[in-house]
């Protein structure tokens, strides 16, 4: 889990920064999770990696902001994906449990996460540096 969730992000960032340093600009959006913002029983290893992505993002953002490179993270909540569907199929009450904690009353859609990433990369977000943007339907608001 650590190799993919944290070291994978570190490796991508390292290689992205090579090009961005050469051009003196750029925007990186790392993928964390609401698991990087809250704890949950039985998920310590996963949450540790996602908290790590946020720490990495903030530290590297501070280092590279003076060079014109913006680095942020997106923290998706529960998103309607084939992986999530497969997980809830195995546990009949899982969907009920998930929906109980969704203030917006539905799951997120992949295109909503993509829109947040596009915004973070856009000229509309040039003052956003080192942020961990929650895209979670209000989950972390409570």
């Amino acid at each position: 889990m650590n190799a993919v969730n944290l070291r994978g992000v570190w490796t991508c960032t390292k290689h992205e920064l090579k090009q961005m340093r050469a051009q003196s600009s750029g925007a990186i959006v790392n993928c964390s999770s609401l698991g990087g913002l809250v704890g949950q029983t039985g998920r310590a290893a996963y949450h540790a990696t996602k908290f790590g992505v946020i720490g990495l993002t903030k530290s590297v953002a501070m280092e590279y902001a003076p060079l014109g490179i913006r680095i942020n993270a997106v923290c998706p909540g529960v998103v309607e994906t084939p992986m999530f569907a497969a997980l809830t199929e195995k546990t009949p009450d899982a969907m009920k449990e998930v929906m109980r904690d969704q203030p917006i009353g539905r799951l997120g859609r992949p295109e909503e996460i993509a829109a947040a990433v596009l915004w973070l990369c856009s000229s509309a977000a040039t003052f956003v540096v080192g942020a961990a943007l929650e895209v979670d339907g209000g989950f972390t608001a409570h």
Side-chain angles (χ1 to χ4, degrees):
M1 192 172 305
N2 193 56
V4 172
N5 290 355
L6 184 54
R7 189 179 176 119
V9 171
W10 176 83
T11 302
C12 287
T13 300
K14 178 178 84 167
H15 290 287
E16 292 158 351
L17 284 169
K18 248 186 245 183
Q19 175 61 39
M20 291 180 186
R21 279 194 308 266
Q23 65 194 29
S24 299
S25 69
I28 296 172
V29 180
N30 293 324
C31 190
S32 183
S33 163
L34 68 86
L37 301 167
V38 300
Q40 187 179 13
T41 305
R43 310 254 326 177
Y46 175 78
H47 286 252
T49 64
K50 295 302 185 173
F51 269 88
V53 168
I54 292 172
L56 172 70
T57 298
K58 289 179 178 292
S59 294
V60 178
M62 295 301 297
E63 190 172 337
Y64 286 92
L67 302 177
I69 301 167
R70 295 181 303 104
I71 303 162
N72 294 290
V74 66
C75 301
V78 182
V79 179
E80 202 173 320
T81 63
M83 183 177 85
F84 180 75
L87 290 171
T88 55
E89 278 175 14
K90 297 173 187 172
T91 317
D93 291 333
M95 183 59 93
K96 226 184 281 179
E97 215 174 290
V98 168
M99 293 310 291
R100 182 191 68 221
D101 294 331
Q102 288 298 114
I104 200 167
R106 65 175 178 82
L107 301 180
R109 294 185 302 270
E111 57 270 20
E112 292 171 312
I113 309 309
V117 171
L118 286 172
W119 178 74
L120 285 169
C121 290
S122 78
S123 60
T126 56
F127 201 60
V128 182
V129 176
L133 181 62
E134 302 161 7
V135 187
D136 65 0
F139 180 89
T140 52
H142 59 36

